[in-house]
Amino acid sequence: QGHPMKPHRIRMAHNLLLNYGLYKKMEIYRPSPATFDELRKFHSDEYMRFLRHITPDNMGEYTKQMQRFNVGEDCPVFEGLYQFCQASSGGSIGGAVKLNKGTSDIAINWAGGLHHAKKSEASGFCYANDIVLAILELLKHHRRVLYIDIDIHHGDGVEEAFYTTDRVLTVSFHKFGEYFPGTGDVKDVGANAGKYYSVNFPLKDGIDDASYASIFKPVIGQIMQMYQPGAIVLQCGADSLCGDRLGCFNLTIRGHAECVRFVLQQKVPTLILGGGGYTIRNVSRCWTYESAVVLNEEISDDLPYNDYYEYYGPDYKLHYAPSGMENLNIPENLEKIKSKVFEHLRQLQPAPNVTMPAAPPPAAADEEDEDED
């Protein structure tokens, strides 16, 4: 109640996909929930044990731990919290397993993308970091994994997890300056073996489709050339859309989806995840349209009747116009930041050659049943 993060948006997106008939063009799986052992591949045992045991009824006994693990304010306790973490993470790990096995070249988990969660604490509505867990799964088969984040918030949890390795390059485009989580300066480039393998593109309010494309495409194009990843994870947080309840960018759904289109043109196995997004009728619109882009399907701007039809009034359309807000990202400044990013990318060694040991067994999350529910 009153909390901006509404898991209901996943149900809305799923329902819209069904009613557009898009499900007929894709394989839909119900992944197994991530096990305790899978979750602790990244998270600490005590943090996962805490999430497994806490409920709204017994919160009073856990006051100290709630502070320690940053649960309570932004990240409230709710009924089914641990199961939510298992489902979200299981979907992302299951998608990574599909890519590793070569049974899919693109996998989608709109319930994933919870990029703020840390090893031992919740943050920004994120409890378990499904993205880090999925990347760890991908690293069993790929020497290099590229992580791209187009949520309006900095992808701090993922960056931090891989800050000192060259096997994962993280790139985040986000609002920076008096904005949660406060990290993601262009100067933050990684450390030790991971120096220059963290890329940050800080932005100001009001960025529109044209400005975003003018930085996204050249930066990702350059990274692809220099880094040559074996797999890509794309976090598609929809809070970077115009009209978001917590956001302050001015992207249209088409502009946001253009990033998805460009990443898929790289023809590398790709895991596509959700993320933020707090005007829920626009989140479901966006992720439905992006599913259509992945499938290369044209879908009508007139929304089909669905279980949540009244949410989309008064126009009942898929797309909506950007606002008249001012774009504070002036071209000269974007060019300056882009030059700095390119300067950092020039420091990258040619794609690191990791000798791969025999691949460990896949996560159990692969044993999903096909299900079109």
Side-chain angles (χ1 to χ4, degrees), residues 101-128:
K101 287 192 160 172
T103 49
S104 303
D105 45 5
I106 304 164
I108 303 176
N109 175 23
W110 293 126
L114 305 178
H115 59 173
H116 296 307
K118 310 288 196 301
K119 179 185 169 89
S120 292
E121 70 175 60
S123 172
F125 320 146
C126 305
Y127 303 84

mmCIF file of all heavy atoms in Angstrom, residues 101-128:
data_model
loop_
_atom_site.group_PDB
_atom_site.id
_atom_site.type_symbol
_atom_site.label_atom_id
_atom_site.label_comp_id
_atom_site.label_asym_id
_atom_site.label_seq_id
_atom_site.Cartn_x
_atom_site.Cartn_y
_atom_site.Cartn_z
ATOM 1 N N LYS A 101 22.868 -23.189 -23.028
ATOM 2 C CA LYS A 101 22.630 -24.463 -23.723
ATOM 3 C C LYS A 101 22.457 -24.271 -25.217
ATOM 4 O O LYS A 101 22.426 -25.232 -25.978
ATOM 5 C CB LYS A 101 21.370 -25.130 -23.174
ATOM 6 C CG LYS A 101 21.557 -25.723 -21.788
ATOM 7 C CD LYS A 101 20.361 -26.603 -21.451
ATOM 8 C CE LYS A 101 20.723 -27.574 -20.348
ATOM 9 N NZ LYS A 101 19.533 -28.305 -19.884
ATOM 10 N N GLY A 102 22.257 -23.000 -25.621
ATOM 11 C CA GLY A 102 22.038 -22.734 -27.044
ATOM 12 C C GLY A 102 20.621 -23.075 -27.481
ATOM 13 O O GLY A 102 20.341 -23.143 -28.675
ATOM 14 N N THR A 103 19.703 -23.288 -26.520
ATOM 15 C CA THR A 103 18.321 -23.596 -26.909
ATOM 16 C C THR A 103 17.522 -22.320 -27.179
ATOM 17 O O THR A 103 16.437 -22.365 -27.730
ATOM 18 C CB THR A 103 17.592 -24.448 -25.840
ATOM 19 O OG1 THR A 103 17.788 -23.841 -24.569
ATOM 20 C CG2 THR A 103 18.152 -25.860 -25.792
ATOM 21 N N SER A 104 18.056 -21.168 -26.758
ATOM 22 C CA SER A 104 17.450 -19.876 -27.105
ATOM 23 C C SER A 104 18.572 -18.904 -27.426
ATOM 24 O O SER A 104 19.659 -19.013 -26.853
ATOM 25 C CB SER A 104 16.684 -19.284 -25.917
ATOM 26 O OG SER A 104 15.698 -20.163 -25.453
ATOM 27 N N ASP A 105 18.310 -17.975 -28.321
ATOM 28 C CA ASP A 105 19.314 -16.923 -28.532
ATOM 29 C C ASP A 105 18.908 -15.647 -27.813
ATOM 30 O O ASP A 105 19.741 -14.776 -27.554
ATOM 31 C CB ASP A 105 19.598 -16.668 -30.020
ATOM 32 C CG ASP A 105 18.325 -16.579 -30.845
ATOM 33 O OD1 ASP A 105 17.230 -16.616 -30.254
ATOM 34 O OD2 ASP A 105 18.421 -16.476 -32.076
ATOM 35 N N ILE A 106 17.608 -15.553 -27.440
ATOM 36 C CA ILE A 106 17.134 -14.414 -26.648
ATOM 37 C C ILE A 106 16.207 -14.972 -25.580
ATOM 38 O O ILE A 106 15.323 -15.774 -25.877
ATOM 39 C CB ILE A 106 16.353 -13.398 -27.514
ATOM 40 C CG1 ILE A 106 17.192 -12.915 -28.700
ATOM 41 C CG2 ILE A 106 15.906 -12.204 -26.666
ATOM 42 C CD1 ILE A 106 16.375 -12.220 -29.783
ATOM 43 N N ALA A 107 16.421 -14.554 -24.339
ATOM 44 C CA ALA A 107 15.524 -14.957 -23.249
ATOM 45 C C ALA A 107 15.062 -13.690 -22.535
ATOM 46 O O ALA A 107 15.835 -12.726 -22.422
ATOM 47 C CB ALA A 107 16.256 -15.887 -22.279
ATOM 48 N N ILE A 108 13.807 -13.689 -22.090
ATOM 49 C CA ILE A 108 13.232 -12.500 -21.448
ATOM 50 C C ILE A 108 12.698 -12.871 -20.064
ATOM 51 O O ILE A 108 12.015 -13.883 -19.920
ATOM 52 C CB ILE A 108 12.044 -11.940 -22.267
ATOM 53 C CG1 ILE A 108 12.460 -11.606 -23.705
ATOM 54 C CG2 ILE A 108 11.468 -10.691 -21.593
ATOM 55 C CD1 ILE A 108 11.288 -11.139 -24.585
ATOM 56 N N ASN A 109 13.017 -12.045 -19.068
ATOM 57 C CA ASN A 109 12.370 -12.161 -17.755
ATOM 58 C C ASN A 109 11.993 -10.766 -17.281
ATOM 59 O O ASN A 109 12.808 -10.052 -16.692
ATOM 60 C CB ASN A 109 13.313 -12.825 -16.736
ATOM 61 C CG ASN A 109 12.707 -12.859 -15.332
ATOM 62 O OD1 ASN A 109 11.483 -12.803 -15.180
ATOM 63 N ND2 ASN A 109 13.549 -12.921 -14.307
ATOM 64 N N TRP A 110 10.749 -10.371 -17.557
ATOM 65 C CA TRP A 110 10.335 -9.018 -17.166
ATOM 66 C C TRP A 110 10.252 -8.863 -15.650
ATOM 67 O O TRP A 110 10.229 -7.747 -15.139
ATOM 68 C CB TRP A 110 8.997 -8.644 -17.814
ATOM 69 C CG TRP A 110 9.059 -8.490 -19.308
ATOM 70 C CD1 TRP A 110 8.284 -9.109 -20.235
ATOM 71 C CD2 TRP A 110 9.953 -7.642 -20.063
ATOM 72 N NE1 TRP A 110 8.639 -8.711 -21.514
ATOM 73 C CE2 TRP A 110 9.653 -7.813 -21.439
ATOM 74 C CE3 TRP A 110 10.992 -6.762 -19.712
ATOM 75 C CZ2 TRP A 110 10.341 -7.146 -22.452
ATOM 76 C CZ3 TRP A 110 11.682 -6.099 -20.725
ATOM 77 C CH2 TRP A 110 11.356 -6.291 -22.074
ATOM 78 N N ALA A 111 10.229 -9.967 -14.903
ATOM 79 C CA ALA A 111 10.194 -9.873 -13.435
ATOM 80 C C ALA A 111 11.592 -9.729 -12.843
ATOM 81 O O ALA A 111 11.756 -9.618 -11.632
ATOM 82 C CB ALA A 111 9.501 -11.098 -12.851
ATOM 83 N N GLY A 112 12.614 -9.716 -13.693
ATOM 84 C CA GLY A 112 13.993 -9.563 -13.214
ATOM 85 C C GLY A 112 14.477 -8.127 -13.376
ATOM 86 O O GLY A 112 13.687 -7.195 -13.542
ATOM 87 N N GLY A 113 15.780 -7.944 -13.320
ATOM 88 C CA GLY A 113 16.370 -6.612 -13.506
ATOM 89 C C GLY A 113 16.479 -5.806 -12.222
ATOM 90 O O GLY A 113 16.536 -4.580 -12.252
ATOM 91 N N LEU A 114 16.537 -6.507 -11.062
ATOM 92 C CA LEU A 114 16.532 -5.800 -9.772
ATOM 93 C C LEU A 114 17.969 -5.440 -9.367
ATOM 94 O O LEU A 114 18.591 -6.068 -8.516
ATOM 95 C CB LEU A 114 15.797 -6.654 -8.735
ATOM 96 C CG LEU A 114 14.367 -7.012 -9.227
ATOM 97 C CD1 LEU A 114 13.639 -7.902 -8.236
ATOM 98 C CD2 LEU A 114 13.539 -5.751 -9.506
ATOM 99 N N HIS A 115 18.443 -4.358 -10.004
ATOM 100 C CA HIS A 115 19.881 -4.059 -10.084
ATOM 101 C C HIS A 115 20.513 -3.405 -8.856
ATOM 102 O O HIS A 115 21.722 -3.241 -8.824
ATOM 103 C CB HIS A 115 20.158 -3.190 -11.321
ATOM 104 C CG HIS A 115 19.412 -1.884 -11.347
ATOM 105 N ND1 HIS A 115 19.634 -0.922 -12.296
ATOM 106 C CD2 HIS A 115 18.432 -1.384 -10.546
ATOM 107 C CE1 HIS A 115 18.833 0.109 -12.081
ATOM 108 N NE2 HIS A 115 18.096 -0.153 -11.039
ATOM 109 N N HIS A 116 19.721 -3.024 -7.852
ATOM 110 C CA HIS A 116 20.320 -2.342 -6.693
ATOM 111 C C HIS A 116 20.740 -3.283 -5.563
ATOM 112 O O HIS A 116 21.499 -2.874 -4.684
ATOM 113 C CB HIS A 116 19.340 -1.316 -6.101
ATOM 114 C CG HIS A 116 18.997 -0.192 -7.031
ATOM 115 N ND1 HIS A 116 19.957 0.588 -7.644
ATOM 116 C CD2 HIS A 116 17.797 0.290 -7.454
ATOM 117 C CE1 HIS A 116 19.346 1.498 -8.398
ATOM 118 N NE2 HIS A 116 18.042 1.334 -8.306
ATOM 119 N N ALA A 117 20.221 -4.521 -5.551
ATOM 120 C CA ALA A 117 20.484 -5.416 -4.416
ATOM 121 C C ALA A 117 21.979 -5.713 -4.286
ATOM 122 O O ALA A 117 22.680 -5.921 -5.274
ATOM 123 C CB ALA A 117 19.705 -6.722 -4.582
ATOM 124 N N LYS A 118 22.461 -5.700 -3.042
ATOM 125 C CA LYS A 118 23.872 -5.951 -2.750
ATOM 126 C C LYS A 118 24.029 -7.340 -2.132
ATOM 127 O O LYS A 118 23.055 -7.978 -1.768
ATOM 128 C CB LYS A 118 24.404 -4.907 -1.758
ATOM 129 C CG LYS A 118 24.114 -3.456 -2.100
ATOM 130 C CD LYS A 118 24.942 -2.982 -3.281
ATOM 131 C CE LYS A 118 24.978 -1.470 -3.419
ATOM 132 N NZ LYS A 118 23.654 -0.839 -3.590
ATOM 133 N N LYS A 119 25.281 -7.732 -1.975
ATOM 134 C CA LYS A 119 25.578 -9.053 -1.417
ATOM 135 C C LYS A 119 24.859 -9.281 -0.085
ATOM 136 O O LYS A 119 24.287 -10.337 0.148
ATOM 137 C CB LYS A 119 27.097 -9.160 -1.224
ATOM 138 C CG LYS A 119 27.592 -10.466 -0.627
ATOM 139 C CD LYS A 119 29.104 -10.377 -0.381
ATOM 140 C CE LYS A 119 29.605 -11.543 0.446
ATOM 141 N NZ LYS A 119 29.986 -12.691 -0.394
ATOM 142 N N SER A 120 24.888 -8.270 0.779
ATOM 143 C CA SER A 120 24.291 -8.438 2.106
ATOM 144 C C SER A 120 23.301 -7.350 2.470
ATOM 145 O O SER A 120 23.101 -7.069 3.635
ATOM 146 C CB SER A 120 25.388 -8.461 3.179
ATOM 147 O OG SER A 120 26.146 -9.633 3.045
ATOM 148 N N GLU A 121 22.717 -6.703 1.473
ATOM 149 C CA GLU A 121 21.644 -5.766 1.826
ATOM 150 C C GLU A 121 20.707 -5.468 0.666
ATOM 151 O O GLU A 121 21.084 -5.537 -0.501
ATOM 152 C CB GLU A 121 22.193 -4.471 2.433
ATOM 153 C CG GLU A 121 22.929 -3.556 1.506
ATOM 154 C CD GLU A 121 23.306 -2.244 2.215
ATOM 155 O OE1 GLU A 121 24.025 -2.309 3.215
ATOM 156 O OE2 GLU A 121 22.863 -1.176 1.750
ATOM 157 N N ALA A 122 19.475 -5.172 1.071
ATOM 158 C CA ALA A 122 18.470 -4.747 0.106
ATOM 159 C C ALA A 122 18.693 -3.268 -0.190
ATOM 160 O O ALA A 122 19.282 -2.548 0.611
ATOM 161 C CB ALA A 122 17.084 -4.958 0.698
ATOM 162 N N SER A 123 18.221 -2.826 -1.352
ATOM 163 C CA SER A 123 18.360 -1.417 -1.703
ATOM 164 C C SER A 123 17.391 -1.086 -2.823
ATOM 165 O O SER A 123 17.198 -1.897 -3.737
ATOM 166 C CB SER A 123 19.800 -1.148 -2.165
ATOM 167 O OG SER A 123 19.916 0.158 -2.683
ATOM 168 N N GLY A 124 16.788 0.102 -2.746
ATOM 169 C CA GLY A 124 15.967 0.604 -3.853
ATOM 170 C C GLY A 124 14.959 -0.392 -4.400
ATOM 171 O O GLY A 124 14.916 -0.632 -5.605
ATOM 172 N N PHE A 125 14.146 -0.977 -3.536
ATOM 173 C CA PHE A 125 13.102 -1.947 -3.920
ATOM 174 C C PHE A 125 13.675 -3.277 -4.417
ATOM 175 O O PHE A 125 12.954 -4.079 -4.999
ATOM 176 C CB PHE A 125 12.154 -1.413 -5.019
ATOM 177 C CG PHE A 125 11.762 0.036 -4.891
ATOM 178 C CD1 PHE A 125 11.556 0.803 -6.029
ATOM 179 C CD2 PHE A 125 11.573 0.630 -3.653
ATOM 180 C CE1 PHE A 125 11.176 2.137 -5.932
ATOM 181 C CE2 PHE A 125 11.192 1.959 -3.542
ATOM 182 C CZ PHE A 125 10.989 2.726 -4.678
ATOM 183 N N CYS A 126 14.982 -3.510 -4.250
ATOM 184 C CA CYS A 126 15.590 -4.755 -4.738
ATOM 185 C C CYS A 126 16.142 -5.544 -3.557
ATOM 186 O O CYS A 126 16.870 -4.998 -2.728
ATOM 187 C CB CYS A 126 16.732 -4.458 -5.705
ATOM 188 S SG CYS A 126 16.272 -3.408 -7.097
ATOM 189 N N TYR A 127 15.814 -6.823 -3.492
ATOM 190 C CA TYR A 127 16.229 -7.664 -2.370
ATOM 191 C C TYR A 127 17.281 -8.681 -2.803
ATOM 192 O O TYR A 127 18.314 -8.820 -2.165
ATOM 193 C CB TYR A 127 15.019 -8.399 -1.792
ATOM 194 C CG TYR A 127 13.903 -7.475 -1.342
ATOM 195 C CD1 TYR A 127 12.960 -6.998 -2.257
ATOM 196 C CD2 TYR A 127 13.786 -7.076 -0.017
ATOM 197 C CE1 TYR A 127 11.929 -6.149 -1.858
ATOM 198 C CE2 TYR A 127 12.760 -6.224 0.402
ATOM 199 C CZ TYR A 127 11.837 -5.759 -0.531
ATOM 200 O OH TYR A 127 10.825 -4.913 -0.140
ATOM 201 N N ALA A 128 16.992 -9.419 -3.882
ATOM 202 C CA ALA A 128 17.962 -10.382 -4.413
ATOM 203 C C ALA A 128 18.365 -9.895 -5.801
ATOM 204 O O ALA A 128 17.518 -9.451 -6.580
ATOM 205 C CB ALA A 128 17.338 -11.774 -4.502
#
